[in-house]
Amino acid sequence: MSAAILPHCGSLRHLPFSSAALRRNSQGHQLGNALCGRQAGPLVTPQRQVARRLAAAAASSAATAAEAAPPSLERKELPKNFDPAASEESLYQWWETNGYFKPDESATGEPYTISMPPPNVTGRLHMGHAMFVTLQDIMTRYQRMRGRPTLWLPGTDHAGIATQMVVEKQLAEQGQDRRNMGREAFEAEVWKWKEQYGGFITQQLRRLGASCDWSRERFTLDEGLSEAVLEAFVQLHDKGLVYRGSYLVNWSPGLQTAVSDLEVEYSEEAGSLYYFKYPVADSDDFLPVATTRPETILGDTAVAVHPEDERYRHLVGKEAVVPLSGRRIAIIADEYVDREFGTGALKITPGHDVNDYEIGKRFGLEIINIMNNDGTLNSNAGPYAGLDRFAARKQLWADMEAQGLALKQEPYQMRVPRSQRGGEIVEPLVREQWFVRMEPLAKPALEAVARGDVRIVPDRFEKVYNYWLDNIKDWCISRQLWWGHRIPVWYVFDDAAAAEAAPSSERYVVAKNEAAAREKAVGLYGEGVVLKQESDVLDTWFSSGLWPFSTLGWPAATPDLERFYPTAVMETGHDILFFWVARMIMMGLEVTGRVPFHTVYLHGLVRDEKGRKMSKSLGNVVDPVETVQQYGADALRFTLATGTSPGQDISLSLDRVNSSRNFTNKLWNAGKFVLFNLDKVDDAEWQRLAATDLSSADACANLALPERWVVSTLHRTVRDATAAHERFDFGEAGRLLYEFVWSDFADWYIEAAKARLYGEDAAAAEQTRAVLVYVYDKVLKLSHPFMPFITEEMWQATPHQGKALISAPWPSTEAAVDEAATAQFETLQAAVRAVRNARAEYGVEPGRKVAATFRVASSELRAALQAEAPVLALLARLDPEQVSFVGEEEGAALTGQAGQIELVVREGVEAFLPMAGLFDAAKEIERLQKQQAKLEKEASALQGRLSNKKFMDKAPEKVVAEVKQQAAEMAEQLSMIQEKITKFGGLA
């Protein structure tokens, strides 16, 4: 094997100090620390490892070879840098092909199940998807390594409105319309589209490393889930929880269907506030009223004022005359009216406003609908019938101006509801729809959280959950679409002509299929009746409300339902806590008798680096696919996981993603350093290294101090990171990992290890290699849930036990920690930092070695540091021949000697460095004096301004404060310079 060329790393640059090491380093002179993220030469995997793999592959079938190692790792060299484009796809295919995503049938722990929030089948990957994939995959990989039978069950949602829109648009481009095609032909076209494009989103999820069990993938319209939907609907109806009624719903004129609250987006838009006269009947008086929608005046059924408003109290109980209509309506008093808005008098249109609808119910007001399904006005609008709602607004206002009823029109910023899918303004309309009674379902769901059967993380969202369920309204579950679960209701007619003439009937039966419906209908209404199925489909949230158990086979008593339900965690965005999570809890309790999951983990939104919501209009959308292509999936995942805490939004910048990529490079280069030092080991040692176990105190007892320290620090990191995973604090788990890998392992231990690796003590080098392998193995395991690709590839190249990192056991949380070794090595670190800082302060050339004497009060600590003198010399760039350690009494004479500096390392530990002659003190003093003179001149100018009474009296307070701050900073700098001049004067 040829020597791998690795670069030194900045402040830790050194040369091995033994003659043997110098000879070795002359051949591989750039060994150093390859952990800076710089380019490095190719590293050859140990030949014996490659030989073993090739022999095994040649002697077995292709399937066995696939199990032996990922195809991408069947090569002699690791590249100088990890190449995501070259490795991620093949690694993922290897995992999936070998069944690593399926629950381990041999695992004995409690099953751990996550139901993937089903993305829309029409979807394209966005950062919200990337966030949930990252967090759920971290949970899944962690629990899998913890030895639990782990199932992450994936699937997609049929997305009724979105999918129908896509296909209708395609058909329109071909000159076709679904109404002319008929329902059956249109549904066939949608299924054809789904088969061709429906897997696009799941392929993108794979790109992020989602280790879900694709063999169990479900679709909300597949046969099993459709059966669950029918069963749930029938059960709810038979219990009196499903009914048909006329209520106010969100109506999308463009889509011509009711839409859920979640599918309505509000935007701040410029509009107008129209002030007009509302004539009081039988008088010349009028009420001044303001509205943003003049066209709805035609549907008014009352005018309301606040009961304590002195301006209008005398009119309460009288009648007003609807402008341009002549209808007489009541003037009522209600505390809902805001006396400060507009004129303090409110027109009430129960058929076209949510709040007016509630007032209308309280007062028993008539509901008048003035609008057709397409947004045009109907016959109730009189002469404006047939006009588009906005054209009618313009015409009606012009007519009111002409009749002297208009007072004024002024600009007004409006909160406008728009359809998330169609984009048009949503209209509140009273329509006959199918509803679920929610109050009986909400009570058990509230109790489940109160009892702790369901835990919400973070717990502050319990208040939001409780508020929504305490104030819940009945759920409109019907949609006027063709794509979806058709409502299993059959209307009953006496004959075919009646069925043809009317869309529905007061008589109906509910059943899971037409045959069962006919049997019911005949039993209730006799032979000869004609059935006609409800044309509406169910809200997609109805089927997704059954998701945690329908995907496991409910209503059938399947093995999966028995083993994996209730599921463990529902991870999703906090914005759908009510619309989806609460409904799953309610439906789970109602139809299965058990909560669907024990924990709800809510993540925040992914925003841009300025904290703004990502949107195409702002041009600030960060595409996860493009980000993965540029930086790799591991870097994006680590950024998302560590950038937020439960329920908190994350501000994403590509600079942070780049920093995460640097971290993956750090991890990769640390592994190359480990492998470089395994170059010469034989097969027997390779196997011994793979089996290294340093988890017990006895196993570590004879290790040198740096080895005991790094192993103890690793064990503490494992313990703390595991605890963070268990409390869903993935940001903290990632931070602990980052700190250990970057600082403790790479910057400190690897540098310290070189003292033994390149020394003349073969046994010490062997011990150090074992520690390197042991620690790096655990680092890869800790890192795997966050960064699965790079860790699997590196793990396959280093000594290990088992076939795949994805199924390897998680490090023990009970491993020993040597507190004494930790404290002793931390003192060594403090000494190194003190010397480095002094060298930098005094301008000692980086390559120049200096002498040092350390006065250590504790004899035990002194002995420990003395044993590590080569490490201390290496890290602090000291002359190893001139490093000494003395006790407190012996070192008393060192204090105050000329030509040296004294450093307090920590209590009981001091360092004495003879700096005279190591740098040109006189020249440094001259430089400092020049700097001092310049600063004194600037400080004098600042003091002059502060002494100027005119400036102090007339300058803005902020300016005066800035000048005072500058003067204080200048004084501090001068003090520091004077202190240095004094110090250097003693060394001149």
Side-chain angles (χ1 to χ4, degrees):
M1 169 180 164
S2 60
I5 306 303
L6 307 175
H8 287 290
C9 186
S11 63
L12 299 182
R13 185 181 297 120
H14 71 281
L15 289 176
F17 47 82
S18 71
S19 58
L22 284 171
R23 286 195 300 273
R24 179 168 178 172
N25 203 45
S26 67
Q27 299 173 0
H29 62 281
Q30 292 186 10
L31 172 62
N33 184 358
L35 309 178
C36 309
R38 302 179 196 162
Q39 297 289 317
L43 176 64
V44 181
T45 306
Q47 294 174 354
R48 62 201 58 81
Q49 180 79 338
V50 176
R52 283 197 300 273
R53 289 179 178 164
L54 293 178
S60 62
S61 65
T64 304
E67 292 179 0
S72 62
L73 297 178
E74 290 295 334
R75 57 180 184 270
K76 295 182 180 179
E77 294 185 356
L78 287 177
K80 57 187 177 181
N81 292 306
F82 178 67
D83 184 359
S87 299
E88 289 180 351
E89 184 176 356
S90 58
L91 276 170
Y92 192 91
Q93 290 175 350
W94 178 72
W95 284 326
E96 186 174 358
T97 300
N98 285 280
Y100 288 118
F101 298 159
K102 298 179 180 180
D104 184 355
E105 296 301 326
S106 65
T108 57
E110 181 184 355
Y112 188 88
T113 313
I114 296 179
S115 299
M116 175 186 289
N120 288 349
V121 72
T122 59
R124 176 178 174 82
L125 198 70
H126 56 67
M127 277 300 172
H129 295 127
M131 174 64 91
F132 91 65
V133 167
T134 295
L135 296 177
Q136 290 174 36
D137 197 48
I138 286 173
M139 297 180 200
T140 300
R141 290 178 185 269
Y142 167 75
Q143 295 292 345
R144 188 185 287 127
M145 295 176 78
R146 295 284 281 172
R148 299 176 67 174
T150 303
L151 172 61
W152 183 14
L153 203 155
T156 50
D157 190 282
H158 63 278
I161 293 176
T163 307
Q164 182 160 319
M165 282 181 61
V166 169
V167 177
E168 284 200 77
K169 184 177 179 181
Q170 284 189 355
L171 291 173
E173 292 172 354
Q174 301 166 13
Q176 298 185 66
D177 182 270
R178 68 178 171 94
R179 295 169 185 81
N180 297 330
M181 297 173 63
R183 185 168 194 145
E184 187 175 334
F186 176 74
E187 287 181 328
E189 285 295 321
V190 183
W191 277 109
K192 188 187 302 181
W193 179 93
K194 191 267 179 186
E195 293 305 314
Q196 184 173 358
Y197 300 106
F200 184 64
I201 184 68
T202 59
Q203 292 304 316
Q204 292 185 318
L205 297 180
R206 286 174 165 89
R207 189 69 183 86
L208 286 168
S211 63
C212 42
D213 185 356
W214 294 107
S215 70
R216 286 175 163 90
E217 181 181 356
R218 305 307 298 267
F219 176 54
T220 48
L221 279 180
D222 69 27
E223 185 176 350
L225 270 65
S226 295
E227 174 68 18
V229 167
L230 295 172
E231 178 67 26
F233 186 93
V234 171
Q235 282 192 26
L236 293 173
H237 179 269
D238 290 349
K239 293 178 181 179
L241 296 174
V242 167
Y243 67 94
R244 185 173 59 150
S246 294
Y247 286 93
L248 197 73
V249 297
N250 300 309
W251 184 259
S252 171
L255 302 172
Q256 293 198 29
T257 180
V259 294
S260 74
D261 291 341
L262 188 63
E263 293 160 336
V264 176
E265 294 182 339
Y266 290 86
S267 60
E268 295 293 328
E269 300 179 19
S272 293
L273 193 59
Y274 301 84
Y275 293 80
F276 64 97
K277 298 176 182 179
Y278 224 115
V280 176
D282 304 322
S283 76
D284 295 330
D285 203 357
F286 67 87
L287 273 166
V289 176
T291 181
T292 58
R293 300 188 297 162
E295 71 279 8
T296 62
I297 293 172
L298 302 171
D300 287 353
T301 55
V303 178
V305 299
H306 195 280
E308 297 177 3
D309 195 330
E310 295 293 341
R311 295 173 295 175
Y312 309 124
R313 182 181 292 178
H314 66 289
L315 297 176
V316 175
K318 295 185 178 182
E319 291 185 321
V321 178
V322 178
L324 307 178
S325 167
R327 280 189 299 108
R328 295 166 76 103
I329 60 176
I331 300 174
I332 61 176
D334 192 276
E335 291 184 350
Y336 169 78
V337 177
D338 181 0
R339 286 177 282 182
E340 303 301 321
F341 173 77
T343 66
L346 183 69
K347 59 184 286 301
I348 305 299
T349 319
H352 295 281
D353 183 271
V354 174
N355 298 310
D356 292 4
Y357 181 77
E358 295 300 323
I359 294 174
K361 286 199 298 183
R362 288 199 292 273
F363 285 86
L365 299 177
E366 180 186 4
I367 296 175
I368 300 175
N369 177 21
I370 64 167
M371 202 167 293
N372 296 313
N373 290 343
D374 62 358
T376 60
L377 271 57
N378 61 26
S379 58
N380 287 329
Y384 305 96
L387 289 178
D388 175 79
R389 51 185 166 158
F390 301 117
R393 176 180 301 177
K394 185 177 180 181
Q395 183 61 54
L396 183 141
W397 186 248
D399 292 344
M400 291 183 72
E401 287 179 319
Q403 294 191 23
L405 294 172
L407 293 173
K408 64 177 179 177
Q409 178 183 348
E410 63 183 22
Y412 183 71
Q413 197 71 10
M414 300 168 58
R415 191 165 178 262
V416 178
R418 290 188 176 273
S419 166
Q420 186 185 61
R421 300 300 178 187
E424 76 277 8
I425 295 176
V426 169
E427 287 290 341
L429 286 185
V430 175
R431 288 186 51 89
E432 191 171 71
Q433 302 281 350
W434 288 92
F435 294 85
V436 174
R437 300 185 196 278
M438 298 306 289
E439 189 174 348
L441 300 178
K443 184 179 179 182
L446 283 163
E447 292 172 350
V449 171
R451 285 193 308 266
D453 295 344
V454 177
R455 173 192 172 203
I456 298 177
V457 180
D459 59 9
R460 69 176 183 274
F461 280 99
E462 281 189 23
K463 293 181 180 179
V464 178
Y465 175 88
N466 292 338
Y467 176 80
W468 276 334
L469 292 190
D470 282 334
N471 296 276
I472 199 165
K473 297 178 182 179
D474 287 352
W475 174 15
C476 174
I477 56 172
S478 51
R479 298 290 180 266
Q480 290 65 52
L481 303 170
W482 284 358
W483 175 245
H485 294 103
R486 194 167 178 179
I487 293 177
V489 169
W490 277 262
Y491 296 108
V492 181
F493 298 90
D494 291 331
D495 52 52
E500 180 69 24
S504 65
S505 167
E506 292 300 316
R507 299 183 299 170
Y508 65 84
V509 293
V510 174
K512 292 167 66 173
N513 54 60
E514 187 170 0
R518 182 163 299 281
E519 184 178 345
K520 280 188 176 183
V522 170
L524 290 170
Y525 305 109
E527 295 285 352
V529 294
V530 175
L531 301 184
K532 183 177 183 179
Q533 188 176 358
E534 168 67 67
S535 61
D536 289 355
V537 299
L538 288 165
D539 178 11
T540 53
W541 293 105
F542 189 93
S543 55
S544 55
L546 314 176
W547 188 252
F549 44 94
S550 64
T551 52
L552 293 170
W554 184 89
T558 64
D560 272 3
L561 186 66
E562 176 65 26
R563 188 181 189 198
F564 295 110
Y565 186 81
T567 64
V569 177
M570 173 48 61
E571 191 285 331
T572 190
H574 63 69
D575 52 331
I576 54 174
L577 173 60
F578 174 71
F579 296 104
W580 188 39
V581 176
R583 285 172 179 167
M584 284 188 287
I585 296 173
M586 288 186 280
M587 297 292 271
L589 287 167
E590 176 62 30
V591 303
T592 75
R594 293 186 289 177
V595 294
F597 31 74
H598 299 302
T599 301
V600 176
Y601 177 93
L602 302 172
H603 67 249
L605 303 178
V606 183
R607 300 181 178 274
D608 72 3
E609 58 187 329
K610 297 179 180 178
R612 301 173 300 176
K613 188 174 181 179
M614 292 186 186
S615 69
K616 292 180 180 178
S617 60
L618 290 175
N620 62 345
V621 174
V622 180
D623 188 305
V625 175
E626 294 177 0
T627 305
V628 167
Q629 289 171 345
Q630 183 175 359
Y631 298 98
D634 290 326
L636 176 59
R637 288 166 58 108
F638 193 75
T639 303
L640 292 173
T642 58
T644 187
S645 57
Q648 294 294 327
D649 294 351
I650 174 175
S651 296
L652 179 67
S653 73
L654 292 181
D655 286 342
R656 290 189 57 237
V657 181
N658 187 57
S659 295
S660 295
R661 181 174 61 178
N662 291 341
F663 181 54
T664 65
N665 289 340
K666 192 87 165 180
L667 192 64
W668 180 260
N669 289 334
K672 291 200 296 183
F673 177 85
V674 173
L675 283 173
F676 182 90
N677 286 282
L678 303 183
D679 178 21
K680 304 300 182 183
V681 305
D682 57 23
D683 287 342
E685 185 177 352
W686 186 275
Q687 295 300 327
R688 286 196 300 272
L689 290 170
T692 299
D693 182 4
L694 300 175
S695 59
S696 69
D698 289 344
C700 298
N702 296 322
L703 296 178
L705 176 60
E707 280 67 34
R708 282 182 288 133
W709 167 78
V710 75
V711 169
S712 293
T713 306
L714 166 71
H715 291 167
R716 188 181 294 107
T717 302
V718 169
R719 182 191 65 202
D720 294 345
T722 302
H725 275 282
E726 292 295 330
R727 64 175 183 268
F728 300 97
D729 193 349
F730 306 112
E732 175 65 5
R735 186 196 65 78
L736 290 166
L737 171 67
Y738 182 96
E739 185 176 294
F740 178 79
V741 171
W742 196 285
S743 178
D744 298 329
F745 184 54
D747 286 355
W748 283 102
Y749 179 66
I750 283 182
E751 290 303 307
K754 294 171 185 176
R756 266 179 281 281
L757 288 172
Y758 311 136
E760 297 179 350
D761 187 337
E766 182 178 352
Q767 184 186 82
T768 299
R769 286 195 295 271
V771 172
L772 279 171
V773 169
Y774 175 79
V775 173
Y776 192 64
D777 176 83
K778 303 302 180 287
V779 162
L780 291 176
K781 289 176 179 177
L782 286 177
S783 305
H784 183 73
F786 294 96
M787 300 172 287
F789 294 109
I790 192 172
T791 53
E792 183 74 75
E793 181 142 337
M794 207 68 199
W795 193 78
Q796 293 290 341
T798 53
H800 64 269
Q801 293 183 312
K803 293 181 179 179
L805 178 58
I806 189 176
S807 60
W810 187 256
S812 171
T813 58
E814 303 299 324
V817 174
D818 187 335
E819 299 293 353
T822 300
Q824 290 171 355
F825 193 81
E826 286 176 352
T827 300
L828 186 147
Q829 289 176 304
V832 170
R833 293 190 187 98
V835 173
R836 286 178 177 173
N837 290 339
R839 292 177 61 105
E841 183 179 356
Y842 285 88
V844 178
E845 294 177 2
R848 190 160 189 177
K849 303 294 178 65
V850 301
T853 300
F854 293 90
R855 183 167 65 187
V856 185
S858 166
S859 59
E860 182 182 356
L861 179 58
R862 185 166 64 252
L865 294 177
Q866 190 159 5
E868 297 303 327
V871 171
L872 183 56
L874 179 67
L875 299 180
R877 300 193 193 103
L878 300 174
D879 184 346
E881 303 297 330
Q882 299 186 66
V883 176
S884 58
F885 297 83
V886 297
E888 195 165 12
E889 293 182 5
E890 185 183 355
L894 295 172
T895 302
Q897 290 186 9
Q900 72 174 8
I901 60 172
E902 302 174 12
L903 308 173
V904 176
V905 174
R906 57 176 46 183
E907 186 177 356
V909 182
E910 297 167 277
F912 300 88
L913 306 181
M915 302 295 282
L918 293 180
F919 69 103
D920 191 336
K923 185 176 180 180
E924 184 64 15
I925 290 172
E926 183 181 355
R927 184 187 69 81
L928 289 171
Q929 288 174 337
K930 288 181 179 179
Q931 187 178 357
Q932 183 182 39
K934 181 180 178 183
L935 286 174
E936 285 175 342
K937 184 177 180 180
E938 293 175 0
S940 177
L942 290 173
Q943 287 299 330
R945 297 181 70 186
L946 295 174
S947 300
N948 187 324
K949 188 175 184 302
K950 187 176 180 181
F951 170 77
M952 296 298 288
D953 290 342
K954 293 187 176 182
E957 185 177 339
K958 182 179 179 181
V959 173
V960 173
E962 288 176 353
V963 173
K964 286 182 177 179
Q965 183 178 351
Q966 291 173 11
E969 291 173 354
M970 203 76 71
E972 185 177 352
Q973 292 178 45
L974 284 167
S975 176
M976 291 172 63
I977 289 175
Q978 184 57 54
E979 185 178 345
K980 282 189 175 183
I981 290 173
T982 302
K983 283 183 180 179
F984 293 169
L987 299 174

